[in-house]
Amino acid sequence: MANSFHHLSRGVLIRNGKLLVAHAIGQNNTFLPGGHIEFGESAKVTLIREWKEELGIDCTITKFLGVVEHKWMAKGILQCEVDQLFEVNCDALQDDQNPKSQEDHIEFFWLDVEKLDENNLQPFPLRKLLKNYMNGITDTWWASSLNDEFDDCNIND
């Protein structure tokens, strides 16, 4: 069986201590809104396109946050992904109600940052990075679960 590689662009939108997350119905994890980068497409264009397709709204990219590399096994196949992460702004979304999904296999909801572990946010290296971000550590991110031991740093270290 062949291994699988995913190149993704994901958005971080935080309002009043809550993070907008996505959940694929029937799965046991959550993830940041966004999706697969198409061949020849930039990560920023991907993110704007994916938010429009999934949420039916326009967003703006305000800052590059960093990159997370991650691996996991699914049905005996090694999956690897590289997530490019951006801070997103979207005035159309308010944290007092969950956004309506434009796709029937996915749902969106606001999650308290203290519940990232409980809601199995993936890739898991994001949990620490997002908590640091919420606590004012805004250096560019890099984290990887590709090696035997988890590795992370702030690029500016």
Side-chain angles (χ1 to χ4, degrees), residues 58-152:
D58 293 317
C59 70
T60 56
I61 310 297
T62 55
K63 181 180 178 183
F64 175 70
L65 296 175
V67 173
V68 172
E69 303 169 332
H70 186 55
K71 70 177 177 181
W72 74 99
M73 294 296 291
K75 299 180 182 176
I77 299 172
L78 178 63
Q79 308 284 322
C80 291
E81 70 182 45
V82 173
D83 292 274
Q84 294 185 42
L85 303 152
F86 296 89
E87 182 182 79
V88 172
N89 186 29
C90 181
D91 292 333
L93 295 179
Q94 302 303 319
D95 64 275
D96 60 348
Q97 65 181 28
N98 293 330
K100 181 171 173 29
S101 177
Q102 302 299 301
E103 300 179 0
D104 59 3
H105 69 282
I106 195 169
E107 62 187 351
F108 296 92
F109 60 94
W110 294 98
L111 179 62
D112 187 298
V113 165
E114 297 304 316
K115 296 184 178 183
L116 301 179
D117 292 326
E118 181 181 319
N119 285 270
N120 194 22
L121 181 73
Q122 294 296 326
F124 76 83
L126 278 173
R127 298 174 199 175
K128 177 182 175 187
L129 296 169
L130 285 164
K131 288 176 186 175
N132 288 345
Y133 184 69
M134 291 291 295
N135 288 319
I137 300 173
T138 59
D139 294 337
T140 306
W141 306 340
W142 176 81
S144 180
S145 68
L146 296 184
N147 299 323
D148 291 335
E149 296 198 17
F150 174 68
D151 191 11
D152 73 330

